[in-house]
Amino acid sequence: EDLEIVPIVNRKMIQDAQSENPYALVPKSKLAGISWHQTTSGSSGLPITVYASRAERLRILRVILRGYRLNGLKYLETSVTIKDPIDIAKPNAVQKLGGYRHEYYDIYQPVENIQKSIVDKWKSIAVLKSMPSDLANLAWLIKSEGLHFPPVRTMFTDSEKLDDATRAFIESVFKTKAIDFYATTEVGVIAFQTKDSLGKYHVNDD
């Protein structure tokens, strides 16, 4: 009975409020400071739009860079990233200066096209990054067809659960350890693994 009186906000309520007023959930005191917005991919079935100030975006950027740095990604290296186009944000301040860039490949393209496009452009890959299921699809194609793929130094996964079987499979095909990031569109990277963390996550307390 006590649980029934606890106020709960779900995504449908947020979506309905934003359909009437895009800034419905932004406090009036923060409206003037809003400098960024992005719509979530809708993995829950109900995409919503997230707003943030410059200071909040810089805080999110700082923890992303921390994860990259602790995993050995160098400033001028590019991540080969297979991603949903709706989740591709505009380049941040660091990327505009040439650092930590992404080369994006659309997850909705046939996996054969993705593999060929990557092979045609890259002789080696500093970071291969995508959701576990999309990396597994690519790995299955490479293994089952005996296809060439550039050597991968580091592999990042995010956006969905990385189970033990998928981890073992993609690590065996790409011959490198999978490093998982737990992140959301709303607040960025919450926690991440490193090559030396033995499967445990570093939690960003800021």
Side-chain angles (χ1 to χ4, degrees), residues 4 13 37 40 53 75 80 88 93 110 112 117 147 152-153 157 180-181 183:
E4 292 179 0
M13 294 165 65
H37 73 274
T40 63
S53 67
Y75 181 74
V80 173
I88 298 175
E112 295 86 354
S117 296
L147 299 177
V152 177
R153 190 187 75 210
T157 64
D180 191 46
F181 281 65

Coordinates of all heavy atoms in Angstrom, one line a residue, residues 4 13 37 40 53 75 80 88 93 110 112 117 147 152-153 157 180-181 183:
E4 N 2.1 2.3 -3.4 CA 1.1 2.9 -4.3 C 1.1 4.5 -4.2 O 0.6 5.1 -5.1 CB -0.3 2.3 -4.0 CG -0.4 0.9 -4.4 CD -1.7 0.3 -4.1 OE1 -2.6 1.1 -3.6 OE2 -2.0 -0.9 -4.3
M13 N 5.0 9.5 -19.6 CA 4.7 10.8 -19.0 C 5.6 11.9 -19.5 O 5.2 13.0 -19.8 CB 4.7 10.7 -17.5 CG 3.6 9.8 -16.9 SD 3.9 9.3 -15.2 CE 3.7 10.9 -14.4
H37 N 20.9 19.6 -26.8 CA 19.9 18.6 -26.6 C 20.1 17.4 -27.5 O 20.7 17.6 -28.6 CB 18.5 19.2 -26.8 CG 18.2 19.5 -28.3 ND1 18.6 20.7 -28.9 CD2 17.6 18.8 -29.2 CE1 18.2 20.7 -30.1 NE2 17.6 19.6 -30.4
T40 N 17.0 10.5 -27.3 CA 17.5 9.1 -27.1 C 17.1 8.2 -28.2 O 16.2 8.5 -28.9 CB 17.0 8.6 -25.7 OG1 15.6 8.5 -25.8 CG2 17.4 9.5 -24.6
S53 N 23.1 21.9 -19.9 CA 23.8 23.2 -20.0 C 25.3 22.9 -20.4 O 25.7 21.8 -20.5 CB 23.9 23.9 -18.6 OG 24.6 23.1 -17.7
Y75 N 45.3 10.8 -27.8 CA 44.5 11.9 -28.2 C 44.2 12.0 -29.7 O 43.0 12.2 -30.1 CB 45.3 13.2 -27.8 CG 44.6 14.5 -28.2 CD1 43.5 14.9 -27.4 CD2 44.9 15.3 -29.3 CE1 42.8 16.0 -27.7 CE2 44.2 16.4 -29.6 CZ 43.2 16.8 -28.8 OH 42.5 17.9 -29.1
V80 N 36.8 3.4 -34.5 CA 36.0 2.9 -35.5 C 34.7 2.5 -34.8 O 34.7 1.5 -34.1 CB 36.6 1.7 -36.3 CG1 35.7 1.1 -37.3 CG2 37.9 2.3 -37.0
I88 N 24.3 9.5 -32.8 CA 25.5 10.2 -33.2 C 25.4 11.7 -32.9 O 24.6 12.4 -33.5 CB 25.9 10.0 -34.6 CG1 26.1 8.5 -34.9 CG2 27.1 10.8 -35.0 CD1 26.3 8.1 -36.4
A93 N 33.9 19.6 -28.0 CA 35.0 20.6 -28.1 C 36.3 19.9 -28.4 O 37.1 20.4 -29.2 CB 35.0 21.4 -26.8
P110 N 23.8 -3.4 -44.1 CA 24.1 -4.9 -44.0 C 25.5 -5.0 -43.5 O 26.4 -4.3 -43.8 CB 24.1 -5.3 -45.5 CG 23.1 -4.3 -46.2 CD 23.4 -3.0 -45.5
E112 N 27.7 -7.1 -44.1 CA 28.7 -7.3 -45.1 C 29.3 -6.0 -45.6 O 30.5 -5.9 -45.9 CB 28.1 -8.1 -46.3 CG 27.7 -9.5 -45.9 CD 26.3 -9.5 -45.4 OE1 25.7 -8.5 -45.2 OE2 25.8 -10.7 -45.2
S117 N 33.6 -1.9 -45.8 CA 33.9 -0.5 -45.7 C 35.1 -0.3 -44.7 O 36.0 0.5 -45.0 CB 32.7 0.4 -45.2 OG 31.7 0.3 -46.2
L147 N 36.7 -14.1 -43.5 CA 37.0 -12.8 -44.1 C 38.1 -12.1 -43.3 O 38.4 -12.4 -42.1 CB 35.8 -11.9 -44.1 CG 34.6 -12.4 -44.9 CD1 33.4 -11.5 -44.7 CD2 34.9 -12.6 -46.3
V152 N 42.8 -5.3 -34.3 CA 42.2 -4.4 -33.4 C 43.0 -4.4 -32.1 O 43.2 -5.4 -31.5 CB 40.7 -4.8 -33.1 CG1 40.1 -3.9 -32.1 CG2 39.9 -4.9 -34.4
R153 N 43.4 -3.2 -31.7 CA 44.1 -3.1 -30.4 C 43.2 -3.1 -29.2 O 43.5 -3.8 -28.2 CB 45.0 -1.8 -30.4 CG 46.0 -1.7 -29.3 CD 46.6 -0.4 -29.2 NE 45.7 0.6 -28.7 CZ 45.8 1.9 -29.0 NH1 46.7 2.4 -29.9 NH2 44.9 2.8 -28.4
T157 N 32.7 -1.8 -25.7 CA 31.3 -2.1 -25.9 C 30.4 -1.2 -25.0 O 30.9 -0.7 -23.9 CB 30.9 -3.6 -25.5 OG1 31.2 -3.8 -24.1 CG2 31.8 -4.6 -26.3
D180 N 34.0 -2.8 -21.3 CA 32.6 -2.4 -21.3 C 32.4 -1.0 -20.7 O 33.0 -0.8 -19.6 CB 31.7 -3.4 -20.6 CG 30.2 -3.2 -20.8 OD1 29.8 -2.9 -22.0 OD2 29.5 -3.3 -19.8
F181 N 31.6 -0.2 -21.3 CA 31.2 1.1 -20.7 C 29.7 1.0 -20.4 O 28.9 0.7 -21.2 CB 31.5 2.2 -21.7 CG 32.9 2.6 -21.8 CD1 33.9 1.8 -22.3 CD2 33.3 3.9 -21.4 CE1 35.2 2.2 -22.4 CE2 34.6 4.3 -21.5 CZ 35.6 3.4 -22.0
A183 N 26.8 3.4 -19.9 CA 26.5 4.8 -20.1 C 25.1 5.0 -20.6 O 24.4 4.1 -21.0 CB 27.5 5.3 -21.2

